[in-house]
Amino acid sequence: MSEIKLLLVDDEEGFVTTLAERLGLRGIEPRVALDGARALELIEEDEPEVMVLDLRMPGMNGAEVLRVVRSRWPAIRVIMLTGHGSEAERETCMGLGAAAYHKKPMDIEELLDSIRAVSRTRGR
């Protein structure tokens, strides 16, 4: 059983699959969505505690998903993870209510620490 209900959202299938496997080895079994629309469907089915969300995706981008999540499911803690983000995008995401913002590549242990830290603030 996973210690934290986690949803990973990233359009790079190889990256998100590998990340899910690596987290699984550390006791967290995340669900995975490859786009924003699917992420929102998965949240409707079973609300996660934490979401790790890519900023730049085709279709609905991470900032748009973040807006919806914060308005409909304010208790979900959202960690933005991007390979291309700027300081302005970081400020936008944090202003929209992201709990954390990290750039790829990121050490798996650092990401795990961030996931655990924001899960402890759920609902605040």
Side-chain angles (χ1 to χ4, degrees):
M1 174 116 185
S2 183
E3 65 179 82
I4 297 170
K5 287 174 59 176
L6 177 67
L7 176 60
L8 300 177
V9 186
D10 197 303
D11 62 307
E12 296 178 45
E13 188 171 4
F15 170 78
V16 77
T17 300
T18 300
L19 181 57
E21 290 170 359
R22 293 182 73 195
L23 289 168
L25 294 172
R26 290 160 175 84
I28 297 178
E29 299 292 334
R31 290 182 302 150
V32 172
L34 298 176
D35 60 56
R38 180 65 180 142
L40 297 177
E41 290 172 4
L42 290 174
I43 294 170
E44 286 281 352
E45 293 171 11
D46 186 23
E47 185 177 321
E49 296 170 78
V50 178
M51 176 189 313
V52 175
L53 177 61
D54 186 27
L55 179 59
R56 295 194 182 169
M57 299 182 291
M60 184 179 232
N61 70 37
E64 293 168 325
V65 174
L66 176 59
R67 276 188 191 93
V68 173
V69 168
R70 297 304 296 153
S71 69
R72 293 181 60 191
W73 301 282
I76 297 174
R77 312 310 292 156
V78 180
I79 298 171
M80 302 302 296
L81 186 61
T82 184
H84 310 286
S86 67
E87 183 61 26
E89 287 172 319
R90 187 194 72 76
E91 289 176 14
T92 296
C93 291
M94 297 306 288
L96 290 171
Y101 182 97
H102 301 288
K103 289 192 175 182
K104 298 175 191 172
M106 183 177 187
D107 178 78
I108 188 71
E109 294 302 326
E110 286 180 52
L111 180 59
L112 188 56
D113 288 346
S114 186
I115 290 167
R116 288 181 175 141
V118 302
S119 75
R120 289 190 291 270
T121 65
R122 182 168 156 75
R124 291 187 204 163

